[in-house]
Amino acid sequence: MGMPGRKVFISGDEAVAEAVRLARPNVISAYPITPQTVTVERISEFVEDGSLKAEYLHVESEHSAMSAALGAAAVGARTFTATSSQGLLYMAETLPYVSGARFPIVMMNANRTLATPWALLSDHRDSLSQLDSGWIQVYCENAQEAMDMIIQAYRIAEDPRVMTPFMVNLDGFILTHTYEMVDLPAQENVDRFLPPYRTANRMDLDDPKTVCYAALDDYMEFHLKQELDMRKVPGVIEEVELEFKGIFGRSYGGLVEKYCCEDAEAVLMTLGSVTGTARAVVDAMRMEGKMVGLAKIRFMRPFPAAEIAGIAGNTKAMGILDRDLSVGYEGIVFTNARSAVCEIESPPRMINFIGGLGGRNISKEDMRQIFDQLMQAARGEQGERVRFVNARCE
Amino acid sequence: MERPLVVKFKRPDSIRDYPCGAFRVGTLVQENSGWRVFRPVIDTGKCIKCLRCFLVCPDGVIDKSGEDLEIDYRFCKGCGVCAYECKVGAIVMMREGDDGNAR
Amino acid sequence: MDEKMVTNAGDLTNTEFFYGHRACAGCGGSLALRLAMKVLGPRIFVAIPANCMSATSFLYPQVSFSVNAMISPFPATGAVLSGIEAGARALGIRDHHVVGFAGDGGTADIGIQALSGAIDRGDRIIYVCYDNEAYMNTGIQKSGLTPYGSRTTTTPAGKNIPGAVGRKKDMFGIVAAHGIKYAATASIGYPEDYLRKISKAAMCKTTSYIHVLAPCSTGWGFPAEETVDIGREAVDCGLWYLAEYEKGDFILNRKPKEFSSISEYLKRQARFRHLGEKEIEEITVGRDEKWKKIMKNWRV
Ligand SMILES: Cc1ncc(C[n+]2csc(CCOP(=O)(O)OP(=O)(O)O)c2C)c(N)n1
Ligand code: SF4
Ligand code: SF4
Ligand code: SF4
C-alpha cells in the first residue's frame, strides 16, 4: 500500500471532478446538463486555480464536446468529458466515431431519464441506448466507486491492448448530488498507477498519419478488430483492479460483484445505486433464513456473459432489475442477460423487473417484494416474464 | 519529377495486423490515369513558363522542378483546365491512344 | 513559424500534400484544398468533415495526403479543429497550423453551430469553406448556400417553382458578426488572391475564416475544363465578390469596372439553364442591392 488517502465529504459529481484532477487530462470539453453540472463546474475551478493543468474548452453542444475531445485525442492528448441524458443522445453520432478511431476518451455520464415526458431524475435509458456504440460501460454504486473508476478508466482505456473509450455511469442525483465520505487518493499514488498517456494512435508532425479515415472493403476487419480487443478488456480489468487494490486498498469484484450468490436459490441482478437497497434487503432476508443473493452487474460492455451464466447455473430463479424499458419488448439488461443464460443446460426461471423509470423510488419494501416473487419462482410458481415495480402496465 | 510514389499494397493477413487507429500517409496504391479520355501535352517550345497550369491543376500533377514542366500522367485526369487556362495555347488535349489528334 | 506571403505560383512549393484523390476531373473544391495546403506547408493538421473531399481522399489504403489528416463528424468541423489546437497547446506542439475544409452544407447548415462556437473560443485555427453551392457528395441537394434559381435534385425546376428559392446565406457577414479577427471571401477563379488570403490567415493568431467559391462541373453542369473560368466569371458578373474583413472593417478587394453579363454566366451552367427573363431579372436586382450596400459600407 502506498501513501494513505485523505477522507473528504463530497458528492458524486465532486468525486468525479477530484478523480479527473488526479488523472491529469490535457483537455476537457463539456457542455452543461443537470445533473452533471457540478462536475464540470469543479473542474473549471481546478483549471482556473491551476491545480489542474489542462485546457478547458467551452463548447456549444454535447456533439461538439465529444468532437473537440476527439480532435484533442487525435493529437495524443488525454481528454475528459461529461454529460447526461439528452446530452448523451445529442452526442450519439460521435460515440462510434470515437470508438472506431480507437481513442481512449473517458466520459462521465450522470444517468438521467430521457424526454418526453421531461423528468430530471435517474434511470438508465440514456446510457443503455448507447450499448452498441463500442464504448466500455461501467455503472457505479457510490461516489467512492465513481472516483476510483474514473482513475481506473484511463488505465484500462489507454492500455495498448484496449484503446477503447470508457463511459463511467453514475445515477443522477442519487449519486451525483448526495454527499458521502470518500477516500481521496494521494496524487503521487495516482501518478504511479496512471502514467502519462503515450500513444502511436495520433497525428504526428514528425511522422504524419491519418486517423478517422474511411475503409470501404476493409470495414468489417476494422470493426472486428474492435471486437477482438474488447474481448481482452475483462482480463485487463482484472489486472488493473488487482494493481489498484495493491496501491489504494479497494476493489470492486471485476465485471460482476457477487453477494451471497454461492448458495442462493434466487438471485437478483442490479445496476448502479439501487444495489445498496438490494444488499440491505438480502441481509435482512438472510437473517430470516431466506436463501437470496445479489449480483451487481458493473460492466455492461464488455458484457459479463460468462459470469452471469455461471451465477445462473447455480440458482433456481434469477431476476434482472432494469431501470429502463425497450418499449415493445422488455428491459435491455434482461435481454442481454437472458441471451447469456441461454447457453447453460438447465437455466433458472428468469424474471424481468422494470422499475425506477424517471427516478421513481425503489424502496426496501419494493425490493422485498421483488425477492419474494423470485423465491416463489424458485419454488416453481409461474407468472409474468416482465413485471413492473411500483407501477402497473394495464 | 517530385510526385508521390505508388506502392504495392498487401492487405493484412490477419485482423491483428490492421492498424489500431492511425494509419500512415504519403504513399498511394492506385493510379487515376484510367479516368482520362484526353491527355494534355505541353509544347515546351511554346511554353513561356508562366506556371498558370501548375497553379490551377486541381490534381497537382504538373511538376515545376525540372527544366521544363512535366505532367505526372499516372494521376492526370485529363480535365483540360490546364489547356483552357494556358494563355499561349501551349497545351493541347490529345485523345488517348490516338496520337496527334488534338481536340 | 517563419511565415511569408505566398501570392503567386512562383512562391508555391512544388511539393504536393494532397495527391491522388478521387474527386471528379476538374473539381474546384480539390483545387481549393490543394492550394491552401501548399501555402500552409507540411506541418499541418487537417480536418475535413463528410463531403466530396473527404469521400474521395481517405479511402484506406489510398490516403491522398502526405500531411496529418482526419475526417471529422459532419456537423463538427469547428469543434474538432478547436480540439486539435487545444490538444496541441496542452502537449507543447509548436509551429503548426490547424486547418479545416468544409463544404457549403458542412459550414452554413449542419456545421454552423460548431463554426460559431469555434470563432467564439478564438483558438488559432483556419476554417476554409469551399463553396460548391449544394450538397454535392450526396448527389446535388439544396444547401443554405444554393443560390436563387439553381436546379438541384431537391429543388427541381418545374412549372411551379424555379429551382431553389432561398437566398444564399451571407456566411461572410455571419462570420464577421462574431467579431472574428480575419475573414475573407475568395474564388478559385482568382487563385493568387486566394493564396494571399490563406497566407494572411496563416499569420493570424486566432480563428480565421476563408470562404472560397469552388465551382463543381458535375453539380453545376459545365465542361470540366471551365472550372477556373466559371469561378472567375462569378466574380466578374458580381454574383460573388472578393473581400476581406479585418480589424472590424469590410474591404472590397476587386471592383469590376463594369459587371460582365449575368445571363451569360447563368447560361453556361445546366443548373440555371431553365431560368427565364423574370428570374434573371430577379437575380440581377439581388446583385445590385448587394453591391449598393457594399459600395456604401465597405472600404473599396
Ligand atoms: C450527420 C450527417 N448527416 C448527413 C450526412 C450525409 N452527408 C454526407 S456528405 C453530405 C454533403 C456534404 O455537402 P457539403 O458540405 O456542401 O460538401 P460537398 O459534398 O458539396 O463537397 C451529406 C449530406 C452525414 N455524413 N452526416
Ligand atoms: S500555362 Fe502554358 S505557358 Fe504557362 S507554364 Fe503552363 S504551358 Fe507554359
Ligand atoms: S488535364 Fe487536368 S489533371 Fe491533367 S494536368 Fe491538366 S489540369 Fe491537371
Ligand atoms: S461533385 Fe463537384 S465538388 Fe464533388 S468531387 Fe465532383 S466536381 Fe468536386
Side-chain angles (χ1 to χ4, degrees), chain C residues 125-229:
Chain C
I125 59 175
I126 303 169
Y127 189 109
V128 179
C129 168
Y130 71 93
D131 183 1
N132 53 29
E133 304 197 318
Y135 290 103
M136 292 310 176
N137 186 47
T138 35
I140 325 175
Q141 293 87 14
K142 183 214 173 293
S143 82
L145 295 185
T146 301
Y148 177 84
S150 187
R151 179 204 299 271
T152 71
T153 52
T154 51
T155 54
K159 269 206 295 296
N160 303 311
I161 308 174
V165 292
R167 301 279 159 196
K168 195 176 166 72
K169 288 188 200 176
D170 178 12
M171 272 313 294
F172 183 48
I174 292 168
V175 164
H178 285 71
I180 196 169
K181 288 282 185 330
Y182 183 71
T185 63
S187 165
I188 58 148
Y190 285 92
E192 288 89 354
D193 173 77
Y194 174 57
L195 297 179
R196 183 178 67 80
K197 287 167 175 172
I198 295 284
S199 294
K200 279 181 86 166
M203 289 174 200
C204 217
K205 297 278 175 274
T206 59
T207 307
S208 53
Y209 176 83
I210 310 279
H211 193 117
V212 57
L213 188 72
C216 157
S217 68
T218 309
W220 295 14
F222 60 81
E225 60 191 7
E226 295 177 21
T227 298
V228 173
D229 195 49

Side-chain angles (χ1 to χ4, degrees), chain B residues 31-100:
Chain B
E31 299 185 353
N32 288 339
S33 55
W35 294 33
R36 206 166 46 230
V37 182
F38 292 95
R39 153 191 291 251
V41 177
I42 303 178
D43 180 342
T44 49
K46 267 196 193 166
C47 170
I48 55 167
K49 301 244 174 76
C50 70
L51 298 182
R52 180 77 184 169
C53 54
F54 161 81
L55 179 66
V56 296
C57 171
D59 290 82
V61 301
I62 303 182
D63 182 294
K64 66 168 182 174
S65 62
E67 182 76 0
D68 292 318
L69 294 179
E70 246 185 298
I71 295 176
D72 179 359
Y73 288 112
R74 299 170 311 159
F75 287 99
C76 164
K77 293 173 186 156
C79 65
V81 168
C82 53
Y84 195 92
E85 291 293 316
C86 177
K87 298 279 183 301
V88 300
I91 304 180
V92 277
M93 300 301 289
M94 318 275 260
R95 187 173 277 283
E96 277 293 342
D98 177 8
D99 287 340

Side-chain angles (χ1 to χ4, degrees), chain A residues 202-256:
Chain A
R202 67 187 168 99
M203 301 193 285
D204 181 354
L205 290 173
D206 298 322
D207 180 14
K209 293 272 165 45
T210 180
V211 296
C212 304
Y213 38 90
L216 308 184
D217 296 342
D218 302 80
Y219 185 91
M220 275 199 76
E221 280 69 24
F222 277 98
H223 202 52
L224 296 185
K225 190 181 176 77
Q226 249 175 284
E227 169 63 17
L228 278 187
D229 292 347
M230 190 64 116
R231 288 182 192 169
K232 298 176 196 153
V233 172
V236 176
I237 289 171
E238 199 176 316
E239 266 176 43
V240 167
E241 190 162 48
L242 208 66
E243 191 182 326
F244 189 89
K245 183 166 200 278
I247 298 177
F248 303 99
R250 289 182 294 276
S251 69
Y252 295 96
L255 298 177
V256 179

Side-chain angles (χ1 to χ4, degrees), chain B residues 2-4 9 12 18-19 23-32 35 51-52 54-61 63-65 72 75 77 79-81 84-85 103, chain C residues 9-10 12-14 16 19-27 30-31 34-35 38 60-67 189 191-192 195 224-229 232 268:
Chain B
E2 305 167 351
R3 286 297 177 266
F9 177 71
Y18 273 83
F23 181 60
R24 55 122 183 90
V25 296
T27 39
L28 298 165
V29 302
Q30 208 178 16
E31 299 185 353
N32 288 339
W35 294 33
L51 298 182
R52 180 77 184 169
F54 161 81
L55 179 66
V56 296
C57 171
D59 290 82
V61 301
D63 182 294
K64 66 168 182 174
S65 62
D72 179 359
F75 287 99
K77 293 173 186 156
C79 65
V81 168
Y84 195 92
E85 291 293 316
R103 185 164 62 150
Chain C
L12 277 184
T13 169
N14 184 52
E16 298 295 337
Y19 206 74
H21 53 76
R22 320 279 288 172
C24 307
C27 168
S30 64
L31 177 56
R34 168 185 171 245
L35 291 179
K38 282 169 85 82
Y60 171 88
Q62 176 105 334
V63 180
S64 302
F65 299 89
S66 54
V67 291
E192 288 89 354
L195 297 179
E225 60 191 7
E226 295 177 21
T227 298
V228 173
D229 195 49
R232 189 163 39 224
R268 285 176 78 178

Side-chain angles (χ1 to χ4, degrees), chain C residues 20-298:
Chain C
H21 53 76
R22 320 279 288 172
C24 307
C27 168
S30 64
L31 177 56
L33 264 69
R34 168 185 171 245
L35 291 179
M37 285 188 224
K38 282 169 85 82
V39 172
L40 297 173
R43 292 180 63 83
I44 53 179
F45 298 106
V46 178
I48 309 178
N51 57 35
C52 272
M53 296 299 100
S54 58
T56 54
S57 56
F58 284 93
L59 300 163
Y60 171 88
Q62 176 105 334
V63 180
S64 302
F65 299 89
S66 54
V67 291
N68 290 294
M70 64 186 283
I71 308 179
S72 81
F74 190 32
T77 317
V80 169
L81 296 174
S82 285
I84 294 173
E85 177 54 22
R89 235 178 10 241
L91 296 171
I93 298 169
R94 302 254 179 280
D95 299 334
H96 62 274
H97 291 294
V98 178
V99 59
F101 298 99
D104 44 288
T107 299
D109 295 340
I110 199 168
I112 196 166
Q113 177 177 335
L115 169 60
S116 177
I119 301 171
D120 179 44
R121 285 185 295 275
D123 296 307
R124 185 168 185 244
I125 59 175
I126 303 169
Y127 189 109
V128 179
C129 168
Y130 71 93
D131 183 1
N132 53 29
E133 304 197 318
Y135 290 103
M136 292 310 176
N137 186 47
T138 35
I140 325 175
Q141 293 87 14
K142 183 214 173 293
S143 82
L145 295 185
T146 301
Y148 177 84
S150 187
R151 179 204 299 271
T152 71
T153 52
T154 51
T155 54
K159 269 206 295 296
N160 303 311
I161 308 174
V165 292
R167 301 279 159 196
K168 195 176 166 72
K169 288 188 200 176
D170 178 12
M171 272 313 294
F172 183 48
I174 292 168
V175 164
H178 285 71
I180 196 169
K181 288 282 185 330
Y182 183 71
T185 63
S187 165
I188 58 148
Y190 285 92
E192 288 89 354
D193 173 77
Y194 174 57
L195 297 179
R196 183 178 67 80
K197 287 167 175 172
I198 295 284
S199 294
K200 279 181 86 166
M203 289 174 200
C204 217
K205 297 278 175 274
T206 59
T207 307
S208 53
Y209 176 83
I210 310 279
H211 193 117
V212 57
L213 188 72
C216 157
S217 68
T218 309
W220 295 14
F222 60 81
E225 60 191 7
E226 295 177 21
T227 298
V228 173
D229 195 49
I230 293 266
R232 189 163 39 224
E233 198 172 343
V235 175
D236 292 351
C237 76
L239 288 180
W240 190 237
Y241 45 85
L242 306 181
E244 286 170 296
Y245 177 81
E246 211 176 349
K247 301 191 184 101
D249 281 334
F250 286 99
I251 305 143
L252 183 70
N253 303 121
R254 183 183 173 82
K255 180 181 169 298
K257 273 202 206 66
E258 188 176 296
F259 292 128
S260 63
S261 153
I262 280 189
S263 61
E264 283 297 308
Y265 171 73
L266 299 176
K267 291 286 179 241
R268 285 176 78 178
Q269 306 169 46
R271 62 174 175 158
F272 292 125
R273 222 160 269 152
H274 60 282
L275 295 181
E277 304 248 314
K278 193 172 128 266
E279 288 88 27
I280 295 178
E281 180 54 27
E282 185 145 355
I283 293 171
T284 309
V285 168
R287 173 197 68 188
D288 293 344
E289 275 170 9
K290 175 79 195 172
W291 279 87
K292 221 157 95 194
K293 281 195 202 132
I294 290 178
M295 301 311 281
K296 186 159 162 254
N297 301 324
W298 296 10

